[in-house]
Amino acid sequence: MTGGSPGDAPAPAPASTDGGAPAPAPAPTDGGAPATAGSPAVATRAERTLTLAQLANSVGDGAYLVTSALYFVHVVGLSAARIGFGLTLGWAVGALAGVPLGHLADRRGPRGVAVLLAVATATAVGSFAFVRSFEMFVVVACLYGAAQTGLSAARQALLAALVEPARRTRVRAALQATLNGGLAAGAGLGGLALHVGTREAYLAVFALDVVGFLLAGLVLLRLPAVTPAPVASGPRLAVLRDRPYALVTLINTVLLCYMPLLSVVVPLWITLRTPAPAWLVSVLFLVNTAGVLAFQVRVARRVRGLADAARSVRRAGALMLLACAVFALSAAGVPAWLAGAVIVAAVVPQVLAEMLLAAGSWEISFGLAPEGRQGQYQGFFGSGTAVARALGPALLTTVIIGWGAAGWLVVGVVFLAAGAAMAPAVRWARPT
């Protein structure tokens, strides 16, 4: 990564306008003494604490993600269409909330804002247990989407403030591996709740997720306070006028549409278009999770600047095309065992593409954000995740399930083009 990013070190005190001594730097507003950002001791402690916080909420999240849709269908009585609409609206609100909540983290200190948003997320999850109508479901889904997106932005701003630029992508990779491991463990617990199938079992999962986010907030309080960035000249939400960064975010959003593949599209593809057994979906999740746990940090170590990051994203797009082409072959009239083998083989380039995209996009999102505005820039970049979650399932299901093998190839070509477009976009956005 070239150049400093927000949070690398405390901002220098502004000079006095009357020729006297420099004015004092702003005091931290989230409690405690200000951190010496980027110092080895602070960075090492921060890495351990951020990892523990990630693990604390990921286990409950894994259980929630596995069970929530069925809870809303079987216990609350909502239709699948209404659930889909409510969640789409919730993530759309999250996409809009990311920038102002990230800006709040810049101005008030990312640690305190992250803790408050962890509590807000816990409140939203707990509120789902009291949903009795579609209208109430939509309101809670919007709160959940906004809190989750804002929490992600505040966490990234906190990471940027406490970890030196050269290590941020590797630390982010370790957090992602921890997240995947926690989600996998939580999914197992969610499976037990599904096996029991009672309202109480579902509510126990919600309670677990609430406790997880509250614990994550408590763990984040162990981090040192970060001095808020001084108020910069120019518009408050400068990221909204940064067209090069907007283009980079758009390209990343297109690539992030891979996310519903394993959770939505491939299960439908297996059951509707191939003779492969439905239980194969669990094998695919196992391969994906094991791959990220074993190799995400190693892949991230190879990304050491914006040029490396752009190449990583380009390779991710090419591998996604390969994965899509292999998925398409599974419907070529082959026996069930061969169709299953082809599908498992397709997951290998898919998970490698996922890791390359993650490592490249993290480096790009940190490296292109100007000093003092990491929160709002991370909030804007992270809005791509919310958009992909909101629109990806419907778009990919329509194209792939509707068009068959040709749909896979169309999607793969889009991924290839988006990956190739990242390098020139980064060159345009790169600070001179």
Side-chain angles (χ1 to χ4, degrees), residues 273-327:
R273 291 279 190 165
T274 79
W279 55 259
L280 189 63
V281 174
S282 61
V283 177
L284 304 183
F285 274 104
L286 179 62
V287 173
N288 181 275
T289 300
V292 172
L293 284 172
F295 299 110
Q296 181 68 81
V297 175
R298 299 184 191 183
V299 171
R301 288 195 186 116
R302 298 175 179 269
V303 178
R304 299 178 180 176
L306 290 174
D308 287 345
R311 281 192 294 269
S312 183
V313 173
R314 184 179 67 243
R315 291 166 183 163
L319 284 169
M320 283 304 304
L321 172 59
L322 175 61
C324 289
V326 178
F327 275 124

Side-chain angles (χ1 to χ4, degrees), residues 223-432:
L223 290 167
V226 175
T227 302
V231 178
S233 59
R236 292 179 60 191
L237 301 180
V239 68
L240 299 180
R241 301 188 182 186
D242 192 335
R243 288 181 293 176
Y245 198 85
L247 177 60
V248 167
T249 301
L250 175 61
I251 293 170
N252 188 61
T253 301
V254 173
L255 289 163
L256 284 175
C257 285
Y258 82 84
M259 293 191 299
L261 284 179
L262 290 188
S263 60
V264 177
V265 178
V266 171
L268 292 174
W269 176 261
I270 289 174
T271 56
L272 299 176
R273 291 279 190 165
T274 79
W279 55 259
L280 189 63
V281 174
S282 61
V283 177
L284 304 183
F285 274 104
L286 179 62
V287 173
N288 181 275
T289 300
V292 172
L293 284 172
F295 299 110
Q296 181 68 81
V297 175
R298 299 184 191 183
V299 171
R301 288 195 186 116
R302 298 175 179 269
V303 178
R304 299 178 180 176
L306 290 174
D308 287 345
R311 281 192 294 269
S312 183
V313 173
R314 184 179 67 243
R315 291 166 183 163
L319 284 169
M320 283 304 304
L321 172 59
L322 175 61
C324 289
V326 178
F327 275 124
L329 291 175
S330 63
V334 296
W337 68 269
L338 184 54
V342 169
I343 290 170
V344 172
V347 173
V348 176
Q350 182 274 324
V351 70
L352 181 55
E354 178 182 333
M355 292 185 290
L356 286 168
L357 173 62
S361 64
W362 295 329
E363 185 77 12
I364 289 167
S365 70
F366 285 128
L368 295 178
E371 186 171 354
R373 288 172 169 157
Q374 276 284 3
Q376 63 172 272
Y377 270 70
Q378 295 305 322
F380 187 79
F381 197 81
S383 68
T385 301
V387 172
R389 284 173 171 170
L391 301 180
L395 289 175
L396 293 187
T397 299
T398 299
V399 174
I400 292 174
I401 304 303
W403 299 358
W408 276 113
L409 295 179
V410 168
V411 170
V413 169
V414 171
F415 284 141
L416 177 67
M422 184 60 88
V426 167
R427 285 195 295 270
W428 183 32
R430 191 169 189 166
T432 56

